[in-house]
Amino acid sequence: MGPLSPTRTMRLWGPRSLGVALGVFMTIGFALQLWGGPFQRRLPGLQLRQPWAPSPGPAVPSCLPRQQLVFLKTHKSGSSSVLSLLHRYGDERGLRFALPTRYQFGYPRLFQASWVKGFHPQGGGTQPHFHILCHHMRFNLKEVLQVMPSDSFFFSIVRDPAALARSAFSYYKSTSSAFRKAPSLAAFLANPRAFYRPGARGDHYARNLLWFDFGLPFPPEMRTKRGYPQPPRDPKTPELHVLTSGIGSRAHTLDTNTLFHPAPTAADGHSQTSSHAALGLGSSSFIQWSLAWLDSVFDLVLVAEYFDESLVLLADALCWGLDDVVGFMHNAQAGNEQGRSTVSNGGLTAEDRQLTARARVWNNLDWALYVHFNRSLWARIKQYGQSRLESAVAELRARREALAKHCLLGGEALDPKYITDRRFRPFQFGSGKVLGYALRSGLSLQDQEECERLATPELQYKDKLDAKQFPPKVSLPLKTSKVLSP
């Protein structure tokens, strides 16, 4: 791909092979297609307001809010906090969510359109219209496009794999056989092959979890005969050859035939034809192809370590107000600082630095993803304007703090033992306590409703949306004729 530019003149698409059995990975991947025609986009300003002051709207809106959204909710990356924003935004505006029957779309299997409640791909007739698809799934573009329009705004979030590994080990220790057998994360990363078995139940949580969630195939040298990833033979830190991400929006016209059939591509200024052989030239080439394909699909990828900066860019890209992305952190574990950056290794002990380095080597594909999208985020920040961003981030944080003081008991997240209202008590899973919120008493009716939206955990909010979209059928009692006395 070419150098960064506000104008993106290329649009890349590729075919995807599908796997539906548990643990079966896609084996062959992508063909990139060149799209013609320049595409420019104006980045509208944010409407900021002081805490609890009316939000002044522009006299003439410079853009229309985007409301067709696909959010890939990755694991242990701050995605529950983004989901909370989407729940609240859609709920307030009466938007329709593509919901799973339970709480996930058949994860860890690749997403299938038939798993969307109320959607019948082969049923004929008029299908329901959905605005937002945002619950846990393993990404599968072909099936997503059966449910959502091709001009939807696609976005996701990534996290430094070292921080993700710490969180995942605590949260999925009872789920992943590899984690369960390891006495500690340090012991696991010191000799992962002693614990990790490709294809074992739950072990997709133990290695390259982001790559897995994005539905990407694994490089040939990392696949076993059954298609599962296996540890690399070279224990040295892999050299990462990552592409610089484009910063423009996706083209919004899609020929779905290009998703499944190889097409001419542009690489280094020369036209090439994708082939299975080309994809197997080496892991670095394979990674570059994968990242280029992701660039063609996703309009924006947030970075957990720069969560607030990411939210400002998200609001800007969606033409939303800043208030629309102000919310509370959800599904955070006690003692786990979600936004703590480990990228620079600053302030870490020698032991922590060693663990961080080993986590990135073991999760080398996730590290490639992270480096790539971290670069693209900062490219967008440069385009947006550093001082402008700092001002917006300061306003967002001030607004969040004001909402916390106004809505929350104690003004912050609480240990679940202090949350007596089951509507706000988060689901407890893993070895660490998942924090939640309790509301202050004495709120006005309007504030109570808004604060409830901010504090409701993802499972309870999903149930609320489900009941709203699929109200239970109430059976009326049968009328009985009055018995006449003789």
Side-chain angles (χ1 to χ4, degrees), residues 10 56 69 79 105 201 239 250 258 267 295 324 345 361 377:
M10 296 182 62
L69 311 173
S79 61
F105 289 109
R201 184 176 179 84
E239 181 181 359
R250 293 186 311 123
T258 66
D295 278 339
D324 296 325
N345 289 338
V361 170
L377 181 83

Side-chain angles (χ1 to χ4, degrees), residues 1 11-15 30-34 262-266 272 274 288-289 292-293 296:
M1 295 181 67
R11 180 70 176 98
L12 306 173
W13 282 102
F30 311 99
L32 306 180
Q33 182 178 24
L34 181 65
T265 68
Q272 298 182 353
S274 65
Q288 289 186 26
W289 280 79
W293 186 82
S296 76

Side-chain angles (χ1 to χ4, degrees), residues 7-21:
T7 301
R8 190 173 187 175
T9 60
M10 296 182 62
R11 180 70 176 98
L12 306 173
W13 282 102
R16 317 239 357 232
S17 57
L18 306 175
V20 297

Side-chain angles (χ1 to χ4, degrees), residues 47 49 53 55 85 88 320-327 399 403:
Q47 297 299 314
R49 63 167 170 162
S55 180
L85 302 175
R88 192 175 85 243
W320 288 8
L322 191 64
D323 284 332
D324 296 325
V325 295
V326 174
R399 178 66 177 160
L403 283 170

Side-chain angles (χ1 to χ4, degrees), residues 190-271:
N191 187 16
R193 297 184 188 183
F195 308 102
Y196 179 81
R197 293 293 178 267
R201 184 176 179 84
D203 275 7
H204 60 280
Y205 292 117
R207 188 172 193 220
N208 289 317
L209 180 55
L210 290 173
W211 193 272
F212 185 85
D213 283 354
F214 274 95
L216 295 169
F218 284 78
E221 65 271 21
M222 291 182 64
R223 290 196 298 267
T224 63
K225 292 181 179 179
R226 296 178 61 192
Y228 296 121
Q230 64 181 0
R233 295 182 179 180
D234 185 359
K236 297 180 181 179
T237 303
E239 181 181 359
L240 300 179
H241 301 278
V242 296
L243 294 174
T244 303
S245 175
I247 56 179
S249 183
R250 293 186 311 123
H252 294 307
T253 303
L254 173 63
D255 177 6
T256 53
N257 289 327
T258 66
L259 298 175
F260 318 117
H261 303 288
T265 68
D268 299 326
H270 301 285
S271 177

Side-chain angles (χ1 to χ4, degrees), residues 28-45:
I28 292 294
F30 311 99
L32 306 180
Q33 182 178 24
L34 181 65
W35 288 69
F39 185 82
Q40 295 184 350
R41 178 172 186 167
R42 178 185 176 189
L43 297 176

Side-chain angles (χ1 to χ4, degrees), residues 139-157:
F139 191 66
N140 183 353
L141 180 61
K142 175 187 174 183
E143 292 290 315
V144 167
L145 290 175
Q146 290 196 47
V147 179
M148 299 296 296
S150 61
D151 63 349
S152 299
F153 186 91
F154 283 67
F155 70 111
S156 188
I157 185 169

